[in-house]
Amino acid sequence: MTDFAATKAMFHIPDGMIYLDGNSLGPLPKAAPARVAKAMTEEWGEMLITGWNKAGWMAKATEVGDRVAKLIGAEAGHVVMGDTLSIKVYQALASALELRPERRVILSDSGNFPSDLYMAEGLIKSLGQGHELRIVAPEEVEENITEDVAVTLITEVDYRTGRLHDMKALTAKAHSVGALTIWDLAHTAGATDGKLSEARADFAVGCTYKYLNGGPGAPAFIYVAPQHANLVRPALSGWLGHDAPFAFDLSYRAGAGIERMRVGTPPILALASLEAALDAWATVDMSDLRTRSQELTQLFLEEVERRCPMLTLASPRDAAARGSQISFSFEQGYAAMQALIARGVIGDFRAPDIMRFGFTPLFIDEVDVLRACDVIEEVMTGKLWDKPEYHARAAVT
Amino acid sequence: MTDFAATKAMFHIPDGMIYLDGNSLGPLPKAAPARVAKAMTEEWGEMLITGWNKAGWMAKATEVGDRVAKLIGAEAGHVVMGDTLSIKVYQALASALELRPERRVILSDSGNFPSDLYMAEGLIKSLGQGHELRIVAPEEVEENITEDVAVTLITEVDYRTGRLHDMKALTAKAHSVGALTIWDLAHTAGATDGKLSEARADFAVGCTYKYLNGGPGAPAFIYVAPQHANLVRPALSGWLGHDAPFAFDLSYRAGAGIERMRVGTPPILALASLEAALDAWATVDMSDLRTRSQELTQLFLEEVERRCPMLTLASPRDAAARGSQISFSFEQGYAAMQALIARGVIGDFRAPDIMRFGFTPLFIDEVDVLRACDVIEEVMTGKLWDKPEYHARAAVT
């Protein structure tokens, strides 16, 4: 059994805070500052340019990719780090569309994170081939995977409700009609026992600053299934995806496999922080993680529902049908969340009325859940959110 | 007069090393580790998700952009940080081509950094409109700016030779035939007294890990001239370039001006390091910098030529016609550079035979130049490079 008390001790949580927003930005791993300081002083400071070889910087994008691959159920050698999730969406989508040149439909759902849809819109305009971004309700995805669909672009776990798509079933359906799949794992990686390879996913993308705790703006990742890895044309054909970057040829020749999904110079300081964060996963069994996540979310769901009838559950009631978050709808959700934050229970708000609470088993336990429930009960039953200062909106929530 | 002894004291250079490779990766600013540690422990660690507001993370991309703008002669409010240089090339090129929809030629030169050409190749294939990437010799750029050219994609300072293009003249020529200009400032920013606005450049892109000393993989920047900033369509239309990112609309609406060139979540740790690096520029007058750079490169050129007749100058002899580097051709240049590096004089090698030396006035002075010349003379006249270990190639040079 995974020792979650040991992993909890690896994170810094400010005194008195119950941090249920690891699904937005994971907390600081205690080992991360020293690891980044080492990368800065011992590597950059002393090795300077030779750090690319001596400190192994050039290989970090794939080395760290292999560590992430284990957490999402991907084959080793098929995940690479870099850029942001939005850029990785663009790469995956451009690749997938070229693999299905006779089709014009990108199927997504209204529960997808907007940036994925925006990137698709931008790509469609650039391609100018009349592709259609078809957005259906999340529960209607399966029936809409028809023979005109080139690729599905789906976020596995809905960022607002936590609803978990059935990756295996949807991928099988897509393949049955000749379509490809791109899975956005933003709220999956580190939140569930990822099974990319088992589900036969074609592409996947994700970020590392949520449940993987890499830090604000930590690099993204992309997965390309083995059967596609040497076939796809990189739309963002940067020099580090070139077959021989340091030959400085004037024309592009795609590198082998996942290497071609690299673009520019890798972000070494951010990768150092991420490496420290990934150390916390070394002893974690992912099926233990999934079980623990379900226990914690179920406890929270039941306690809050029992104590706070004014809140409406916005997440699936069935633990198997959701990721590692629980959301409630409440008309004054923004103010209520501000009141909770003022009392040390950190969740977040998503328009129009969603109060969102994320549970990372690595640092959240039952004691935290019950303490959070006490505060939520106090705020909700006492209408403590009904103060002007809780209604003032900040730029970022 | 700028106090370059004071700026020199702000950088960590290992004992005995003369670092003439700041044009590849700038050295560690002494203040950077503490600044990053602060971002990690005081901001990320204590503020967690609220750091986006409380620590001002969300505004960093444009705030830091304004600081870079001053160094490259751009208008405030027209530079934004993020991603890598290759991604920024893609954004600028996609934008420029759409502003000239009736034209099909992208003009570049064989001295451009290959990644820029690779990104152009990738974009051309995605667009599928029959654009041509026309690559001419650097000295033939001006005469090739003809009426079929949509945009020029030129690196101002040649990464191998240090040859400096005449930005003002080429931009004027481009505009006279209705073409646009994209300037890659990778070897310009922090190396010369940049004059983007004065030259009426349309777009510019650059990195911050060379003369700006931001650290390995530090974020890139993009400039869009005021007259284009609200007209361009962002091909990479990510959520942070949206007019209202936190409204989570399902469709994209470009943000105001340079904001639309933002894509995904900004790299906060890397930006913190870059902020510390930019502090070193606070007291630097850019025309002093240019003068000092010319003095140092001229001294180096004359001393090396006088002492080492076996080396052939590969950079312009006229200081006004080059950036802040001096390159020499030498058939055994790789081995010779390894021998220099073994003796603490750090330059780098670029295929096929270029020995490249960069001079950042912020931390290089005459004493360094003359000491470097002593070592170069010793290695070259004594053929000290002629040892097997200096011929073994590393993956990255």
Side-chain angles (χ1 to χ4, degrees):
Chain A
M1 273 299 292
T2 303
D3 181 357
F4 288 109
T7 60
K8 188 179 172 82
M10 293 177 174
F11 292 90
H12 172 74
I13 308 288
D15 282 347
M17 181 186 288
I18 302 172
Y19 192 65
L20 304 179
D21 206 10
N23 52 336
S24 189
L25 175 68
L28 178 70
K30 289 178 184 168
R35 180 67 192 79
V36 173
K38 180 172 179 285
M40 296 187 77
T41 56
E42 295 178 30
E43 298 176 3
W44 176 18
E46 297 301 323
M47 301 178 188
L48 291 126
I49 188 64
T50 66
W52 290 108
N53 287 314
K54 282 191 197 162
W57 293 342
M58 199 45 83
K60 291 283 181 206
T62 47
E63 268 180 30
V64 176
D66 278 346
R67 298 180 68 183
V68 170
K70 286 184 190 170
L71 307 181
I72 57 176
E75 300 89 342
H78 288 277
V79 173
V80 71
M81 313 305 298
D83 307 297
T84 63
L85 175 48
S86 297
I87 295 291
K88 293 309 181 199
V89 166
Y90 191 87
Q91 288 184 292
L93 192 55
S95 294
L97 291 179
E98 287 201 13
L99 291 174
R100 291 295 177 271
E102 72 291 354
R103 299 189 181 200
R104 288 291 174 274
V105 175
I106 301 162
L107 182 68
S108 192
D109 73 60
S110 56
N112 202 349
F113 189 71
S115 194
D116 293 17
L117 305 176
Y118 303 162
M119 293 305 287
E121 275 187 59
L123 177 61
I124 287 170
K125 283 192 186 145
S126 291
L127 293 174
Q129 296 172 15
H131 284 95
E132 174 196 348
L133 176 58
R134 190 175 289 167
I135 301 174
V136 301
E139 58 275 16
E140 292 169 359
V141 167
E142 185 159 5
E143 67 195 82
N144 278 285
I145 303 178
T146 47
E147 295 203 344
D148 56 348
V149 172
V151 60
T152 60
L153 174 62
I154 306 281
T155 296
E156 192 186 18
V157 178
D158 188 303
Y159 75 107
R160 277 180 299 212
T161 65
R163 186 242 338 106
L164 178 73
H165 271 303
D166 186 337
M167 183 189 287
K168 202 166 177 175
L170 292 183
T171 301
K173 175 69 189 289
H175 291 174
S176 77
V177 298
L180 297 169
T181 57
I182 300 170
W183 289 98
D184 179 337
L185 306 182
H187 292 266
T188 299
T192 75
D193 50 342
K195 295 192 164 125
L196 272 188
S197 173
E198 188 183 317
R200 303 184 56 76
D202 299 288
F203 297 88
V205 294
C207 62
T208 62
Y209 47 77
K210 296 180 184 290
Y211 293 93
L212 297 182
N213 314 299
F221 63 84
I222 185 167
Y223 163 81
V224 182
Q227 69 272 23
H228 305 307
N230 280 311
L231 295 178
V232 293
R233 179 186 75 85
L236 301 175
S237 41
W239 72 308
L240 289 183
H242 192 282
D243 194 42
F246 292 91
F248 300 106
D249 296 335
L250 288 184
S251 63
Y252 186 75
R253 191 171 72 244
I258 196 70
E259 293 276 358
R260 68 183 60 186
M261 289 294 149
R262 298 179 67 166
V263 185
T265 305
I268 296 306
L269 306 187
L271 283 165
S273 177
L274 177 57
E275 285 187 289
L278 291 174
D279 286 346
W281 295 87
T283 61
V284 176
D285 177 282
M286 296 307 282
S287 81
D288 288 353
L289 179 98
R290 178 68 172 147
T291 302
R292 184 97 178 117
S293 155
Q294 293 180 319
E295 288 166 0
L296 293 170
T297 52
Q298 201 62 25
L299 175 63
F300 181 80
L301 184 164
E302 289 170 7
E303 287 292 318
V304 174
E305 278 206 317
R306 185 173 61 76
R307 305 188 200 189
C308 305
M310 70 292 287
L311 295 179
T312 305
L313 183 65
S315 297
R317 192 168 295 283
D318 174 12
R322 62 177 186 247
S324 203
Q325 74 179 66
I326 295 291
S327 301
F328 290 97
S329 294
F330 181 60
E331 198 185 345
Q332 299 293 337
Y334 180 83
M337 186 55 77
Q338 296 305 309
L340 292 177
I341 291 170
R343 287 161 180 80
V345 174
I346 317 296
D348 61 19
F349 174 78
R350 285 291 175 263
D353 64 353
I354 296 282
M355 298 173 70
R356 187 173 82 152
F357 302 91
F359 298 82
T360 308
L362 263 60
F363 58 84
I364 293 293
D365 60 21
E366 284 86 351
V367 175
D368 297 321
V369 169
L370 293 174
R371 279 179 53 213
C373 292
D374 290 345
V375 175
I376 294 169
E377 181 181 8
E378 184 192 350
V379 164
M380 297 310 301
T381 59
K383 291 196 180 179
L384 303 186
W385 48 265
D386 196 14
K387 292 186 179 176
E389 66 264 34
Y390 296 146
H391 290 261
R393 301 264 174 141
V396 186
T397 56
Chain B
M1 273 298 292
T2 303
D3 181 357
F4 287 109
T7 60
K8 187 179 172 85
M10 293 178 174
F11 292 91
H12 172 74
I13 308 289
D15 282 347
M17 181 186 287
I18 302 171
Y19 193 64
L20 304 180
D21 207 10
N23 52 335
S24 189
L25 176 67
L28 177 69
K30 289 177 184 168
R35 180 66 192 80
V36 173
K38 180 172 181 285
M40 296 187 78
T41 56
E42 294 178 31
E43 298 177 3
W44 177 18
E46 297 302 322
M47 299 178 190
L48 290 127
I49 188 64
T50 65
W52 290 109
N53 286 315
K54 280 191 199 164
W57 294 342
M58 198 46 84
K60 291 283 182 206
T62 45
E63 268 180 31
V64 176
D66 278 345
R67 297 181 66 181
V68 170
K70 286 184 191 170
L71 307 182
I72 57 177
E75 301 89 341
H78 288 277
V79 173
V80 71
M81 312 304 299
D83 307 297
T84 63
L85 176 49
S86 297
I87 295 291
K88 293 309 179 199
V89 166
Y90 192 87
Q91 288 183 293
L93 192 55
S95 294
L97 292 179
E98 287 200 13
L99 291 175
R100 291 294 177 270
E102 73 291 352
R103 300 190 181 199
R104 287 292 174 273
V105 175
I106 300 162
L107 181 69
S108 191
D109 73 62
S110 56
N112 202 349
F113 189 70
S115 195
D116 293 17
L117 305 177
Y118 303 162
M119 294 304 288
E121 275 187 58
L123 177 62
I124 286 171
K125 283 191 186 148
S126 291
L127 293 175
Q129 295 174 14
H131 284 96
E132 175 197 348
L133 176 59
R134 190 175 290 168
I135 301 175
V136 300
E139 58 275 17
E140 292 168 358
V141 168
E142 186 160 6
E143 68 200 66
N144 278 285
I145 303 178
T146 47
E147 294 203 344
D148 56 349
V149 172
V151 60
T152 60
L153 174 61
I154 306 281
T155 296
E156 191 186 17
V157 178
D158 188 302
Y159 75 107
R160 277 180 302 212
T161 65
R163 186 235 348 97
L164 179 74
H165 272 303
D166 185 337
M167 183 188 286
K168 202 166 177 177
L170 293 183
T171 301
K173 175 70 189 286
H175 290 173
S176 76
V177 299
L180 297 169
T181 57
I182 300 170
W183 290 98
D184 180 339
L185 306 183
H187 292 266
T188 299
T192 75
D193 49 343
K195 297 197 162 118
L196 273 187
S197 173
E198 189 183 317
R200 304 186 54 78
D202 299 288
F203 297 88
V205 294
C207 62
T208 61
Y209 47 76
K210 297 181 184 290
Y211 294 93
L212 297 183
N213 315 299
F221 63 84
I222 185 167
Y223 163 81
V224 181
Q227 70 271 25
H228 305 307
N230 280 310
L231 294 179
V232 293
R233 179 185 74 87
L236 301 175
S237 42
W239 72 309
L240 289 184
H242 192 284
D243 193 42
F246 292 91
F248 300 107
D249 295 336
L250 288 183
S251 62
Y252 186 76
R253 191 173 71 242
I258 197 68
E259 293 275 356
R260 67 183 60 187
M261 289 293 148
R262 298 179 67 165
V263 185
T265 305
I268 296 305
L269 306 188
L271 283 166
S273 177
L274 177 57
E275 285 188 286
L278 291 175
D279 286 347
W281 295 87
T283 61
V284 176
D285 176 283
M286 296 307 282
S287 82
D288 288 351
L289 179 99
R290 179 67 173 147
T291 302
R292 183 97 178 117
S293 155
Q294 292 181 321
E295 288 167 357
L296 293 170
T297 53
Q298 199 63 24
L299 174 64
F300 181 80
L301 183 163
E302 289 171 6
E303 286 292 318
V304 174
E305 278 206 318
R306 184 172 62 78
R307 306 188 202 189
C308 306
M310 70 294 288
L311 296 179
T312 305
L313 183 66
S315 297
R317 192 168 296 283
D318 173 11
R322 64 180 185 246
S324 202
Q325 73 177 68
I326 295 291
S327 300
F328 290 96
S329 294
F330 181 60
E331 198 182 347
Q332 298 295 336
Y334 181 84
M337 187 53 77
Q338 295 306 307
L340 292 178
I341 291 170
R343 286 161 181 80
V345 174
I346 316 297
D348 60 18
F349 174 78
R350 284 293 177 261
D353 64 354
I354 297 282
M355 298 173 69
R356 187 173 79 153
F357 302 92
F359 298 82
T360 308
L362 264 60
F363 58 84
I364 293 292
D365 60 22
E366 283 87 352
V367 176
D368 297 321
V369 169
L370 293 174
R371 280 179 53 212
C373 291
D374 291 345
V375 175
I376 294 169
E377 180 180 10
E378 184 192 349
V379 164
M380 297 310 302
T381 59
K383 290 194 179 180
L384 303 185
W385 49 264
D386 195 13
K387 293 185 179 177
E389 66 265 33
Y390 296 146
H391 291 262
R393 302 265 175 141
V396 186
T397 57

